[in-house]
Structures are given as C-alpha cells and as structure tokens.
C-alpha cells in the first residue's frame, strides 16, 4: 500500500506551523481585541501565548509518542481506551477545520471585494476552496512551497506594521484597560484563536522526516516566533492608532499602515491579507484531510477506509482531500459562518482539555514508552504544564459560556 511522501524537515514544518498560527486572524482580530482591552491588548496577547504554550507542550510530547497523521484521535484512544470518545474527538477536529476554512475563504472574498466591488462573495469563496483543494491534491511538496512563500508575505506584512510603530512603543501604557482585568481576559480569549493552529501541526507527522523530534520542535518554535510577532504588532498598532478607532475598523492593520506610511501602504496590507487568507485555507485543508486520512486507516475500524487510500502518483490522500474540499464548499454556501466558527472554536477548547488529559493519563499508562520530547515542569510522572492546560482551557470555556448567557 502506498504511503505519504516524507518531504518536510524542521524548517518546512516550522514554516507550516507559523503559517497555521498566523493565519488570517491577526489581520482582523486585533482591532476588535484592542477595542475591548484598550492598550492592555498587549497583555492579552501575552496571556493567550502562555495558555497556548501549555497545550502546545502537551501536543509536542504526544506527537513524539505517536507521530501519526491522525493526531488527536490516537492520543485520546491510547490514553482513555475509548473508541467512541476518540472518534468524537476526530469528528470535532474535522468540523473545526472545514468550518474555519470556509470562514476564512469568505473573509478572502471580503478582502477581494474591496479591490473588485460587486463580486459575489460565496462564488469567490468557493473558487478559493476549489483552487486550494487542487493544490492539496497535487502534493505536499507543492503545498509546502506555496506555504513558505505565502507565510513569508504574511510575516513581511507584520514586520511592516512593527517598523511603522516601533518608535511609539514607549508611549503605550499596557496597563490601560478601559474595562479592567475582565476586558483584558476577554480580549485574551478572543486573540487566543490567533494561536490555535499549532494543534494541526501534528497532522503532517507522516510527511515529516524524523517526526518524533521535528514535530515537537516545530510546535514550540512556531508558537515562539508568532508570539514575538504578535506582541510587537500589538504594541505598534495601539501606538499608532488609538484602540477605540482600531476596534471600529474592519481592516485594522491596513489602517495602521495608512496612518503611518500613507494610502499605498494601506493598500499593500490589504493585498497581504489576501495572501494570508489563501494560505490559511490551504493549510487548514491539508491538516484536516490528513486527520480524516489517519482515522480512516483499516487498523482503527472507525471512518470509511476509502479515505485512507493514497494516490499512487501524487502520494496524497486524494479521497480525503476531495471530501474535505466538498464539505468546506458546503459551509461556504452559508455566506456567513461567523457564529458557527465561534462555536467551533469553543469546541476546540474542549478538545484541548482532552489532549492535556491524554498526556496526564499516558504519563501513567505508558511511562516507559520512548519519547522524542518530554514537557518540562514535572512532579514525578505528573505534568504540571498539562494540568495548567486543562485548567486554562476549562477556564476559557467557562468564561465564554458565561459571556454567552450574559453573566459577565
């Protein structure tokens, strides 16, 4: 039986992770977060980074234990021995992947309409999904090359913002929180979703050389790189434009660029946002199709085996690629999946609780199993970072639910 082609090294996997995390979120979400937290949005990014790192460390160790494309599914199954729970985990991850890809595709259409008014949003979004699915089908090598290019463009855009606002950093009062600490935490919950892509890095383990060490390294490097970028961008954004004006803008970073270097720079950032959204849709489809491929393997008897088949020439899971593309198109037809995407993100936090719980369980169930990486901060077999991951993920879930029912 054909196997996935191992094309990625540490550099390729790290760039893939940076592309997943940067995504499209920072280009839009920073405005809303600044409107809530004021200049303390810088602390919101730092808090979100700490929480992401706690769960990221659990993913890193689990990926070194089981370097498989099915990722979350096999971690939960090995830890709890419950096939239904592991299948539910996989379904939730696939759902999050396709809904998020659809939402970002619609965002791409919105950005494009600022240059070409009158374009049908849904048609443009579907066109992007089809194009990125074709790249996904063609092969991981082509996908990785495009990801490197598009991620480089995304990073350049963020570095432009940093350059524009660097001289204003000394004027930023990071303790300025109009809504107090609740607002800072609320914004941290919002910007947390600008970090969550790291969990999907594990789905390319079978296409990465020496995955037991490279995937954990890539997870931690990608979180570290994006955290530095995010905090620098947040400092620059609130230094150049007041937080309330940022909060009212649909394209906050383009506004920062325009204020700093004129309308041409603003247009440049809007173009970069197109690259960012395209890259996000591509890598979400890659990671989601690999999850579907992994869980469909004959050894698990979970999902239909047809989705575990590998194209003999392209060496990609072509049936899984097609299904993920079709379902993503289906969600794109909704035209506005903002609420659904928000719920999907909430579901992902539940998955994070399971992932941290899986590490805690496997420390006791399989203490002698070889690990390419071990999360730091331990008391005997107990992982303190995994405990922190469980508590912070549950805390964010509770905080979100409390907001939904109007408690806060």
């Amino acid at each position: 039986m054909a196997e996935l082609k191992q094309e990625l090294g540490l550099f390729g996997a790290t760039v893939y992770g940076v592309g997943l995390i940067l995504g499209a979120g920072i280009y839009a979400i920073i405005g809303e977060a600044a409107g809530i937290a004021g200049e303390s949005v810088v602390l919101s990014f730092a808090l979100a980074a700490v929480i992401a790192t706690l769960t990221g460390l659990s993913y890193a160790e689990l990926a070194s234990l089981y370097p498989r494309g099915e990722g979350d599914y096999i971690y939960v199954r090995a830890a709890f021995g419950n096939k239904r729970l592991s299948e539910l985990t996989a379904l939730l991850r696939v759902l999050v992947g396709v809904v998020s890809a659809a939402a970002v595709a619609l965002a791409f259409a919105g950005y494009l309409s600022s240059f070409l008014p009158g374009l049908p949003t849904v048609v443009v979004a579907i066109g992007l999904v089809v194009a990125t699915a074709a790249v996904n089908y063609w092969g991981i090598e082509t996908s990785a090359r495009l990801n490197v290019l598009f991620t480089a463009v995304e990073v350049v855009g963020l570095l432009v913002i940093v350059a524009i606002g660097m001289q204003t950093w000394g004027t930023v009062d990071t303790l300025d929180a109009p809504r107090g600490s609740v607002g800072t935490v609320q914004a941290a919950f919002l910007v947390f979703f600008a970090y969550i892509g790291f969990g999907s890095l594990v789905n390319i383990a079978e296409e990465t050389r020496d995955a037991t060490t490279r995937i954990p390294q890539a997870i931690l490097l990608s979180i570290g790189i994006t955290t530095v970028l995010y905090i620098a961008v947040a400092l620059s954004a609130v230094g150049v434009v007041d937080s309330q004006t940022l909060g009212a803008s649909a394209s906050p970073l383009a506004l920062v660029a325009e204020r700093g270097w004129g309308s041409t720079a603003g247009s440049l950032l809007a173009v970069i946002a197109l690259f960012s959204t395209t890259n996000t849709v591509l890598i979400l489809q890659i990671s989601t199709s690999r999850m579907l491929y992994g869980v469909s393997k004959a050894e698990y008897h979970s999902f239909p085996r047809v989705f575990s088949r590998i194209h003999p020439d392209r060496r990609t899971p072509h049936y899984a690629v097609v299904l993920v593309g079709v379902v993503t198109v289906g969600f794109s037809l909704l035209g506005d999946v903002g609420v659904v995407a928000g719920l999907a993100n909430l579901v992902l936090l539940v998955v994070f609780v399971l992932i941290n719980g899986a590490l805690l369980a496997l420390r006791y169930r399989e203490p002698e199993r070889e690990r390419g990486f071990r999360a730091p901060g331990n008391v005997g077999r107990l992982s303190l970072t995994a405990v922190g991951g469980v508590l912070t993920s549950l805390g964010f879930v509770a905080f979100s639910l409390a907001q939904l029912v109007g408690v806060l």
Side-chain angles (χ1 to χ4, degrees):
M1 184 176 178
E3 295 181 351
L4 296 176
K5 194 174 183 180
Q6 291 187 331
E7 288 284 351
L8 302 178
L10 178 59
F11 176 77
T14 301
V15 172
Y16 179 88
V18 170
L20 271 168
I21 296 172
L22 287 182
I26 186 65
Y27 284 89
I29 208 168
I30 190 172
E32 187 175 349
I36 294 170
E39 294 182 7
S40 75
V41 70
V42 177
L43 298 181
S44 299
F45 273 98
L47 176 59
V50 170
I51 295 170
T53 301
L54 292 173
T55 297
L57 287 167
S58 291
Y59 267 110
E61 181 170 333
L62 290 167
S64 77
L65 274 168
Y66 298 98
R68 308 287 292 275
E70 49 271 34
D72 305 62
Y73 172 89
I74 196 170
Y75 307 154
V76 172
R77 183 162 178 168
F80 303 117
N82 188 315
K83 183 181 178 183
R84 297 306 175 202
L85 181 62
S86 57
E87 288 173 344
L88 175 62
T89 302
L91 278 173
L92 294 176
R93 284 306 303 263
V94 170
L95 175 64
V96 169
V98 294
V99 171
S100 299
V104 176
L106 290 165
F108 170 90
Y111 285 124
L112 188 61
S113 66
S114 66
F115 294 101
L116 300 170
L119 288 176
T121 299
V122 171
V123 173
V124 172
I126 291 174
L128 178 63
V129 171
V130 172
T132 51
V135 173
N136 187 11
Y137 164 82
W138 190 253
I140 190 64
E141 187 174 9
T142 301
S143 301
R145 287 174 178 171
L146 282 177
N147 178 44
V148 169
L149 173 62
F150 287 6
T151 299
V153 173
E154 292 178 52
V155 172
V156 167
L158 296 180
L159 291 177
V160 166
I161 298 298
V162 173
I164 289 171
M166 187 177 292
Q167 70 276 10
T168 69
W169 287 5
T171 67
V172 176
D173 179 7
T174 57
L175 298 180
D176 173 34
R179 302 188 189 182
S181 58
V182 171
T184 304
V185 174
Q186 184 180 353
F189 175 79
L190 190 62
V191 302
F192 175 73
F193 299 112
Y195 286 94
I196 60 175
F198 65 82
S200 297
L201 246 174
V202 300
N203 302 129
I204 59 165
E206 292 178 58
E207 291 162 291
T208 303
R209 298 185 297 273
D210 194 16
T212 56
T213 57
R214 296 295 181 238
I215 291 296
Q217 290 170 349
I219 289 173
L220 300 180
L221 281 171
S222 57
I223 292 175
I225 291 167
T226 52
T227 296
V228 171
L229 272 173
Y230 281 168
I231 291 177
V233 167
L235 281 166
S236 295
V238 294
V240 173
V241 180
D242 72 271
S243 58
Q244 295 309 305
T245 303
L246 274 178
S249 174
S251 51
L253 293 189
L255 175 62
V256 173
E258 185 176 345
R259 288 280 183 91
W261 288 354
S263 59
T264 300
S267 298
L268 172 65
L269 261 293
V271 170
I272 288 174
L274 292 175
F275 280 91
S276 176
T277 47
T278 299
N279 195 37
T280 302
V281 174
L282 172 62
I283 52 189
L284 279 171
Q285 289 202 78
I286 293 171
S287 62
T288 306
S289 60
R290 271 43 173 192
M291 165 65 81
L292 179 60
Y293 152 80
V295 180
S296 302
K297 292 174 182 176
E299 62 193 272
Y300 299 127
H301 302 288
S302 289
F303 290 6
R305 288 179 58 185
V306 65
F307 299 117
S308 68
R309 293 182 183 175
I310 303 296
H311 193 281
D313 298 321
R314 305 292 357 134
R315 303 278 293 278
T316 55
H318 51 305
Y319 289 112
V321 167
V322 170
L323 180 63
V324 167
V326 168
V327 177
T328 303
V329 165
F331 277 103
S332 300
L333 291 172
L334 297 177
D336 181 4
V337 293
V339 173
V340 179
L343 291 173
N345 286 330
L346 183 60
V347 169
L348 188 56
L349 278 169
V350 175
V351 174
F352 284 176
V353 172
L354 291 170
I355 292 302
N356 285 294
L359 178 61
L360 291 170
L362 286 170
R363 282 287 186 88
Y364 291 90
R365 292 191 68 169
E366 300 184 359
E368 305 304 323
R369 189 181 180 94
E370 185 177 352
R371 289 161 165 79
F373 172 85
R374 187 177 179 87
N378 303 290
V379 176
R381 296 179 184 177
L382 180 67
S383 169
L384 297 181
T385 57
V387 172
V390 170
L391 295 177
T392 53
S393 296
L394 284 174
F396 261 7
V397 169
F399 190 87
S400 175
L401 293 175
Q403 286 185 301
L404 287 174
V405 299
V407 173
L408 297 179

